[in-house]
């Protein structure tokens, strides 16, 4: 199917008279509609003509046709059927989306009865129906280019060496007056979008110039694993491209059997099935990643006896890399210098994206030092970002907390990784998402929940998570009452936690020491959901150190999905004293020297007790001291109490526990 528009100037003497009267325009449009319908019936479904505007002396019309041969004669016949004389007639090929828009205009102005009916008649309705489309596609009209231009451009990019032999084969044959099929199709393998685009464009320009393509229109379709796919809509797209070309980009991040190839198999089978159906009517170019052995094998398994020419971007080194950089410099209108070539490492192979990165870094410096030296002192945005501190108040709050060395280290690493991804992407650092699932192990009062809340806020304030809420759950929130309830319950919690942190406190309570229980179902579901939501949910498991270790042994897949194990150690006596000062300061209180000495003694005693509470214990001590202070102040003369007395906790406000040494019963007989 091909789509054209044509326009010219109407020269009928009486055509422009009284054009401002609406009833005349409506009557004229209706006559054109009737004559158009009658004319299209004579074409027996091979073509469809329609007018979009004939209200003034400018004439606009469009054509849908199965075959473009003899189109000029058909246009003259159509104008004769409309009783129109048109001069300066111009015709050009257009995309389907442009044709669809023109049909809607024709229908709106009553030049045709129903644009949808025309689309259905040519089986094009699925391409524009919101109910029928399950993938996006772009369209392009390939520019005409001379053979010398095609070869010259092929020499300027990294796939030129593998592309040149195919260009030689294309131009070697006789120019076809009428395309009669496609002896080969193409498979382009590259990770560089610019190389992929240029390779496809030059191929299509050469094929059209040699008469191997009737149409300059090509459709670009992109697919990824797991996307919805409609084989009928895809078939419809191919029908619309008869005489032209389809470029199918199937691009994935990894080439692994588990993650992508298995989920891709069905879509690839359908892509290949449709391609083989139209292989003599539509040229297909499959665009794949450069290293994609598994994906390529699946395509080859399903393409049968179809012949493909493989084009792969070339590695460049030595003089080839130097010439490539010279070509880039020429395109930018600057001269190369030794600094540019010194960036190349000896005996190293480069792909086009690598050389583009080197050139862009050199070109930025060249502009500021040679072309516009007045800007040589202006810092780059990268330098500004490099020296910038983490955003938001949550990071400051965490760093001001006492102790928590490991937790602070992990946060700094996560923020540094995100910053490095932004800064060094232009220098070749591979893009990737860091999984941040964690285990917080520590005794009560070691600030596990507090750090989790701050961590969520830090992730939001630095744009590592979209929401940054803390969703706190326990066994009761995840385990269903009946068989089959647990998995959906957990899935809902993960859905709720999208863009946030899911904090599972006392995670070991899920397994409950019973194999085959609901807890096992919960752990299996959590592991699956951690994988499904690795990009937008951070899971933090929290609990006692010894119990957390047993919990991680319960499911082999659980430990492997946890990136960070963060220990929350018990606070030392000095740290507990510092926490006391911090809590007191936040309450607007001061600790006297005697109170500090007594607290140090108190904390030393408390640390010897099991589960003494750490930071929670310190808070309780301060609150009890405040109550003791209140009693002390009320017993004093009101007029003699100063503001300093009110904000100062003294030693007498701190109560030391009475410690009785346990008398051990001796073993054996005691003689008196």
């Amino acid at each position: 199917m091909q789509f054209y528009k044509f326009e010219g100037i109407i020269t009928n003497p009486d055509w422009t008279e009284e054009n401002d009267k609406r009833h005349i325009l409506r009557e004229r449009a209706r006559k054109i509609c009737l004559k158009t319908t009658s004319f299209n019936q004579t074409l027996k479904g091979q073509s469809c003509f329609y007018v979009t505007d004939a209200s003034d002396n400018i004439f606009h019309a469009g054509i849908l046709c199965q075959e473009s041969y003899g189109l000029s004669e058909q246009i003259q016949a159509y104008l004769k059927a409309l009783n129109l004389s048109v001069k300066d007639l111009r015709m050009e090929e257009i995309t389907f989306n442009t044709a669809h828009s023109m049909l809607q205009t024709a229908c709106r102005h009553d030049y045709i009865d129903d644009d949808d009916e025309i689309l259905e008649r040519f089986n094009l309705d699925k391409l524009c129906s919101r109910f029928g489309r399950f993938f996006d596609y772009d369209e392009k009209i390939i520019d005409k280019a001379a053979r010398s231009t095609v070869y010259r451009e092929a020499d300027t990019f990294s796939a030129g060496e593998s592309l040149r032999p195919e260009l030689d084969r294309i131009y070697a044959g006789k120019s076809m007056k009428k395309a009669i099929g496609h002896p080969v199709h193409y498979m382009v393998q590259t990770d560089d979008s610019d190389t992929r685009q240029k390779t496809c464009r030059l191929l299509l320009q050469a094929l059209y110039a040699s008469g191997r393509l009737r149409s300059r229109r090509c459709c670009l379709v992109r697919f990824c694993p797991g996307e919805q796919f409609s084989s009928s809509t895809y078939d419809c797209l191919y029908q619309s491209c008869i005489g032209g070309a389809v470029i199918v980009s199937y691009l994935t991040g990894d080439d692994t059997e588990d993650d992508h190839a298995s989920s891709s198999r069905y879509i690839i089978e359908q892509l290949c099935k449709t391609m083989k159906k139209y292989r003599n009517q539509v040229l297909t170019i499959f665009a794949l990643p450069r290293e994609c052995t598994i994906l390529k094998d699946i395509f080859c398994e399903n393409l049968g006896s179809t012949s493909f020419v493989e084009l792969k971007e070339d590695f460049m080194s030595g003089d080839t890399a130097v010439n490539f950089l010279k070509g880039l410099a020429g395109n930018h209108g600057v001269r190369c210098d030794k600094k540019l070539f010194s960036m190349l490492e000896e005996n190293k192979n480069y792909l086009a994206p690598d050389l583009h990165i080197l050139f862009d870094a050199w070109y930025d410096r060249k502009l500021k030092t040679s072309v516009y030296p007045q800007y040589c002192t202006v810092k780059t945005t990268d330098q500004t970002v490099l020296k910038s501190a983490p955003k938001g108040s949550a990071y400051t709050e965490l760093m001001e907390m006492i102790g928590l060395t490991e937790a602070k280290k992990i946060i700094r690493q996560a923020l540094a990784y995100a910053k490095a991804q932004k800064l060094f992407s232009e220098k070749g650092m591979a893009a990737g998402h860091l999984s941040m699932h964690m285990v917080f192990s520590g005794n009560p009062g070691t600030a596990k929940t507090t750090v989790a809340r701050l961590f969520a806020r830090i992730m939001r304030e630095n744009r590592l998570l979209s929401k940054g809420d803390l969703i706190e759950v326990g066994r009761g929130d995840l385990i269903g009452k009946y068989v089959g309830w647990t998995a959906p319950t957990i899935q809902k919690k993960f859905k709720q936690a999208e863009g946030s942190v899911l904090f599972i406190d006392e995670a070991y309570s899920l397994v409950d020491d019973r194999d085959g229980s609901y807890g096992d179902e919960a752990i299996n579901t959590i592991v699956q959901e951690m994988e499904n939501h690795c990009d937008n949910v951070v899971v933090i498991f929290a609990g006692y150190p010894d119990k957390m270790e047993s919990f991680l042994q319960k499911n082999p897949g659980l430990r492997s999905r946890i990136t960070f194990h963060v220990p929350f150690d018990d606070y030392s006596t000095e740290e507990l004293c510092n926490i006391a000062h911090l809590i007191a300061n936040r309450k607007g209180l001061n600790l006297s020297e005697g109170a500090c000495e007594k607290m140090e003694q108190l904390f030393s005693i408390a640390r010897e007790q099991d589960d003494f509470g750490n930071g929670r214990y310190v808070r309780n001590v301060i609150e009890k001291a405040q109550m003791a202070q209140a009693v002390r102040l009320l017993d004093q003369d009101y007029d003699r109490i100063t503001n300093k007395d009110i904000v100062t906790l003294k030693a007498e406000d701190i109560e030391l526990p009475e410690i009785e040494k346990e008398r051990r019963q001796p073993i054996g007989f005691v003689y008196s």
Side-chain angles (χ1 to χ4, degrees), residues 150-177:
V150 171
Y151 273 105
R152 185 167 58 250
E153 189 169 353
D155 291 335
T156 64
F157 70 106
S158 63
E161 287 189 20
S162 60
L163 177 61
R164 245 186 177 278
E166 177 56 23
L167 293 177
D168 291 340
R169 283 192 290 261
I170 292 172
Y171 286 115
K174 294 185 299 183
S175 181
M176 306 291 292
K177 293 184 178 180

Side-chain angles (χ1 to χ4, degrees), residues 410-429:
I410 300 293
I411 298 298
R412 284 194 292 265
Q413 287 177 345
L415 295 177
Y417 179 81
K419 182 185 289 187
Q421 289 269 295
K422 295 177 182 177
L423 284 174
F424 304 130
S425 60
E426 294 184 356
K427 294 182 179 290
M429 177 176 279

